[in-house]
Amino acid sequence: MKILLVYPEYPDTFWSFKYALKFVSKKAAYPPLGLITVASLLPDHWETKLVDMNIEKLHSSDLVWADYVFLSAMNTQILSAITVIARCNHLNIPVVAGGPLFTADYKKFGNVDHLVLNEAEITLPHFLKDLENGYPKHLYQTEQFATMKNSPVPDYSLVKLNKYTSQSIQFSRGCPFNCEFCDITALLGHQCRLKSTDQIITELQNIYDQNFRGSVFFVDDNFIGNKKRIKTKLLPAIITWMEQHNYPFHFTTEASINLSDDEELMNLMTRAGFLSVFIGIETPEELSLNECNKVQNKNRNLIDSVKKVQKAGMEVLGGFIIGFDSDTPNIFQRQIQFIQESGIISAMVGLLNAPTKSQLYKRLLSEGRILDDWDGDNTSNAMNFIPKMDSEKLRNGFNQVIRGIYSGKAFYERVKNFLKDFEPKVKSKNKMNATKLKAFFRSVFIIGILDRDRKYYWKLFFWSLIHRRDMFPMAITYAVYGYHFKRSYTKIF
């Protein structure tokens, strides 16, 4: 059997890093971890090939080669996924689809031959058995959650590593919290299900053996969902492995703000090589936090919490939301002020939307306020429901926030303030190479000469050389990020 694994194209968004990737001659940030995990669940004697449309074109010859096309996608990839399905239908090539896009609303995809939903560790074996017997069904789904100890090592050999800036790995699934706007618990449950420490070390070794060095993203929705396990078993083992291998990687992940309450945990993470963590801040408004049931963010000084994580040696990337029912027109300036004061350089700001599986969607549907399904882009200025605040006022306020944090002066000021005090606990062992040198000279030409914010680039350039020479490469990296973020909001600027 010949299986073609296809990952549809992402649109240009905040997290696509399209404009930043050009500086380092890469095509995409991360490979499709779900598909290469599925590949490891297939029979060993089957032929498999991966086409990630974010790094290469999907040719008709690829499709004709395949007996089946396996398709996985996130919500924001829907347009590309629909195109792939249509091409397969035209060529009479059966499509097997799974992943968040299809699991969230599978009834939209009647032209998919086989829908293998939820977690593949459970549903895929049933499909494979029926396929072997000659009677595969249209729909496979389950309300059960997989035991992560049964999850195989992803087949990294399918990945063209040199096309990506980072690699991905997963330790856990699920989240103990229940934020109203989030669909994670509906898809993956409240209980954090974990891989064993040996599984993670094996996967790290696998990535290492593929000769990759650099950034590795733990894609967990909340890496610290089970603090005891990661503090007593996982992180000590990673620290040992990293020391033995001379720190070939640095890690990033997602976590809840209560990370800041645990100094021991933060210390272990930085010793293990974690340099950054994405945290859902959402809003500085306590009423809005109450509204969306963001209990972990309530009754605390959020800026102090962010500063604690930064002081521990991890950069904080933040998510922010505008458009809660309790938001008032002063929310726009409050968000700008919070982001500037906190020193969160990569601030993902978007209007509130309701994913189909979220509690928010159910509430708004009962109130007759749902307008459409969410397109998956959490940094757009569109909403899929009728807000309490005037829609035009919300969109204008959103634009105000983006200009307030990504205009040249504001952004570079935030970078400078962050770098003044930031001290990563583990220094990167990845030395200068031709790719990094080329990226540096591109930044000088594109941002330092052609960009209208070039004067702020040069101010940061010389300030970091004089005052924080050890942070100079990071300063240039942030300048590239700022260029991307501003370009991704072109309509606003």
Side-chain angles (χ1 to χ4, degrees), residues 179-323:
C179 305
E180 187 189 37
F181 56 81
C182 183
D183 59 358
I184 292 301
T185 53
L187 293 171
L188 298 172
H190 279 293
Q191 183 179 357
C192 289
R193 294 163 288 123
L194 315 174
K195 289 180 180 176
S196 69
T197 298
D198 286 345
Q199 283 176 284
I200 293 300
I201 297 302
T202 298
E203 292 186 30
L204 289 176
Q205 187 67 46
N206 196 318
I207 298 172
Y208 181 87
D209 290 342
Q210 299 292 324
N211 293 317
F212 178 82
R213 304 291 183 270
S215 175
V216 176
F217 178 33
F218 275 83
V219 302
D220 305 36
D221 294 296
N222 192 348
F223 181 72
I224 65 169
N226 187 318
K227 289 185 179 181
K228 183 178 179 180
R229 272 283 302 278
I230 65 172
K231 285 163 67 172
T232 60
K233 295 184 181 296
L234 180 67
L235 291 174
I238 292 178
I239 290 169
T240 299
W241 187 90
M242 290 281 279
E243 289 173 346
Q244 291 172 346
H245 293 78
N246 196 29
Y247 283 84
F249 307 136
H250 57 267
F251 303 116
T252 186
T253 192
E254 302 177 41
S256 43
I257 193 67
N258 55 315
L259 168 64
S260 65
D261 303 331
D262 196 326
E263 291 187 11
E264 179 191 6
L265 176 55
M266 290 189 290
N267 179 55
L268 286 168
M269 287 180 68
T270 54
R271 285 178 58 202
F274 282 83
L275 291 183
S276 60
V277 56
F278 178 89
I279 297 176
I281 305 295
E282 320 314 353
T283 176
E285 293 285 355
E286 195 78 10
L287 281 176
S288 298
L289 293 173
N290 276 323
E291 176 188 323
C292 69
N293 197 38
K294 192 87 179 183
V295 295
Q296 63 272 34
N297 287 32
K298 291 165 54 178
N299 302 316
R300 66 166 67 235
N301 186 316
L302 287 168
I303 288 181
D304 284 351
S305 296
V306 169
K307 295 287 188 183
K308 285 180 182 178
V309 179
Q310 292 170 337
K311 187 176 180 180
M314 287 181 284
E315 178 195 356
V316 174
L317 299 78
F320 298 87
I321 297 175
I322 298 167

Side-chain angles (χ1 to χ4, degrees), residues 363-399:
R363 175 169 70 83
L364 296 174
L365 186 64
S366 70
E367 296 173 5
R369 297 168 59 189
I370 290 293
L371 297 172
D372 201 352
D373 292 336
W374 180 45
D375 67 1
D377 183 1
N378 52 11
T379 58
S380 74
N381 65 348
M383 302 179 80
N384 71 332
F385 68 92
I386 302 169
K388 287 288 180 73
M389 194 187 300
D390 177 72
S391 297
E392 190 65 22
K393 187 176 288 186
L394 269 172
R395 281 192 289 270
N396 289 338
F398 171 79
N399 294 347

Side-chain angles (χ1 to χ4, degrees), residues 7-12 52-55 76-81 84:
Y7 199 52
E9 191 173 4
Y10 279 103
D12 296 337
D52 179 354
M53 295 175 66
N54 298 283
I55 68 167
T76 190
Q77 296 166 281
I78 185 169
L79 294 180
S80 180
V84 172

Side-chain angles (χ1 to χ4, degrees), residues 118-119 122-123 126 141-147 187-188 193:
N118 306 105
E119 294 179 280
I122 295 177
T123 53
H126 295 295
Q141 58 184 158
T142 180
E143 294 183 358
Q144 294 179 299
F145 295 115
T147 300
L187 293 171
L188 298 172
R193 294 163 288 123

